[in-house]
Amino acid sequence: QKVSVEVLEHLEHLALVDFRDAEGVERLQKAIQFADQLHGVNTEGVEPMDSVLEDRWCLYLREDDVTEGNCTKELLENAREKVEEYFVAPPGNIPLPKLEERETFLQGS
């Protein structure tokens, strides 16, 4: 299933993710193809739930025991972009390409 330029633009604005390269468009198309499988699920007679935990009266919290720590430097090495000691997410709030650029790119995919 091909993704139209309009849908691509809408998704980029919602997610602040850049789908300009072939890999990004391919991942998006695979995700849509995967999600389309939900249309085949028979939900007739199934009541919607408020929560996946709606049958529980009480949620028990565990103690937050730190078993490892002091690894901020190592964790931040994984960041594509960071400010001080924080991950920037989404990375850089990417500038989105103009509509004409996307049309040109999508024709090649």
Side-chain angles (χ1 to χ4, degrees):
Q1 179 176 350
K2 291 286 185 182
V3 179
S4 71
V5 174
E6 292 78 20
V7 169
L8 193 64
E9 180 180 58
H10 183 68
L11 291 173
E12 285 179 331
H13 281 289
L14 288 174
L16 291 176
V17 173
D18 185 2
F19 295 113
R20 241 183 302 196
D21 63 2
E23 182 183 343
V25 172
E26 184 179 337
R27 266 188 288 143
L28 178 62
Q29 288 174 335
K30 285 182 180 179
I32 291 171
Q33 190 176 34
F34 179 77
D36 275 344
Q37 295 176 42
L38 294 175
H39 290 293
V41 176
N42 181 3
T43 58
E44 189 173 323
V46 177
E47 292 293 321
M49 297 180 359
D50 293 328
S51 164
V52 293
L53 302 172
E54 68 182 10
D55 63 334
R56 299 183 95 179
W57 291 95
C58 181
L59 296 179
Y60 298 97
L61 300 177
R62 65 173 171 77
E63 291 295 319
D64 191 13
D65 297 325
V66 178
T67 57
E68 296 179 26
N70 201 20
C71 55
T72 304
K73 183 178 177 184
E74 291 84 5
L75 289 173
L76 287 172
E77 288 175 2
N78 295 314
R80 180 187 288 172
E81 191 172 330
K82 61 186 173 194
V83 173
E84 296 175 3
E85 291 185 356
Y86 299 96
F87 283 81
V88 175
N93 286 334
I94 57 145
L96 298 175
K98 295 189 179 352
L99 188 60
E100 310 80 58
E101 293 174 16
R102 273 194 296 279
E103 285 176 345
T104 305
F105 175 76
L106 285 175
Q107 289 171 356
S109 68

